[in-house]
Amino acid sequence: DDFCEPGSGIDPELCRQLSQMNSSDANLTHPLVDAEGNVLSATEAAWHFLKIGVQHILPGGTDHILFVLALFLAARSLRSLAYQISIFTVAHTVTLGLTAAGVIEPPASIVEPLIALSIAVVAIEVLFTEQPTKWRPLIIFGFGLFHGMGFAGFVREIGLPPEQFWPSLIGFNVGVEIGQLFVVLLAAVLSVPIRRALTHTGYS
């Protein structure tokens, strides 16, 4: 298609098809290989994408970190927090798999604003309500679906090797969960001295 220039006389439809072929070739993914060119095993591919999943949250996933922190602040107990995180995990795992596999293709122009909205909604609930609403689990599940689509958008950008698709996808998802749990653990550790300080100042 290097000859497809204005005035070249080449059929425009042929030029369009050549352009699509070039675009498809550019998006092809290949099996993961090591430094010696050997194809990685399923376990090695899963480990590779697990590390990418962790890095996507820490430090790259600011929006997801804020949502998890909002859930942490909204929880009234460890049991409540575990329940909410579990709902969020199930929801984003479903849409991550469906979107990465190409079953659904939600546009980023819709997904990204909804992720931002999810952070705002949970944050507002933390600030202005003393008790969680009965709809919170459904709200978390719904927003978790959109977060999963956001994760999948990143996965599709980096490309999953077809021969190692499911191990790579599972590894990435586990990495995301590790990143999220680290955020919750760090927030819990930091909250201890803050609560003690508030107790001493009479704000507990």
Side-chain angles (χ1 to χ4, degrees):
D1 62 341
D2 293 337
F3 299 99
C4 293
E5 299 177 355
S8 63
I10 303 295
D11 183 2
E13 178 61 22
L14 176 60
C15 289
R16 185 186 66 79
Q17 293 180 5
L18 289 172
S19 178
Q20 289 181 343
M21 291 174 62
N22 280 347
S23 177
S24 298
D25 290 341
N27 293 328
L28 286 176
T29 54
H30 303 281
L32 290 174
V33 297
D34 58 22
E36 299 178 354
N38 300 314
V39 177
L40 299 185
S41 67
T43 302
E44 291 170 330
W47 175 249
H48 174 78
F49 277 93
L50 183 147
K51 292 184 289 184
I52 293 177
V54 173
Q55 293 168 358
H56 182 58
I57 298 296
L58 301 169
T62 304
D63 50 352
H64 305 294
I65 290 174
L66 290 175
F67 186 79
V68 172
L69 287 177
L71 293 182
F72 173 81
L73 295 173
R76 304 301 178 185
S77 65
L78 181 60
R79 180 178 179 181
S80 173
L81 176 62
Y83 177 58
Q84 294 178 42
I85 292 293
S86 297
I87 292 174
F88 179 64
T89 298
V90 170
H92 77 63
T93 299
V94 169
T95 46
L96 170 59
L98 291 176
T99 308
V103 177
I104 57 176
E105 298 184 1
S109 59
I110 295 178
V111 172
E112 295 302 327
L114 286 173
I115 291 176
L117 177 63
S118 71
I119 300 170
V121 168
V122 178
I124 290 172
E125 186 181 17
V126 172
L127 293 173
F128 296 104
T129 61
E130 295 184 0
Q131 296 295 329
T133 65
K134 64 179 181 180
W135 300 107
R136 178 182 289 176
L138 290 177
I139 292 173
I140 293 174
F141 185 83
F143 285 137
L145 295 176
F146 293 111
H147 279 257
M149 295 175 191
F151 290 136
F154 172 77
V155 167
R156 295 183 69 176
E157 286 180 7
I158 61 177
L160 293 179
E163 293 83 354
Q164 303 146 319
F165 180 84
W166 290 111
S168 300
L169 182 61
I170 293 171
F172 177 82
N173 194 55
V174 172
V176 165
E177 297 314 313
I178 292 174
Q180 291 178 164
L181 290 175
F182 182 82
V183 170
V184 171
L185 178 61
L186 182 60
V189 171
L190 293 177
S191 69
V192 173
I194 294 175
R195 288 179 178 175
R196 288 178 179 175
L198 292 175
T199 299
H200 289 311
T201 56
Y203 286 99
S204 60

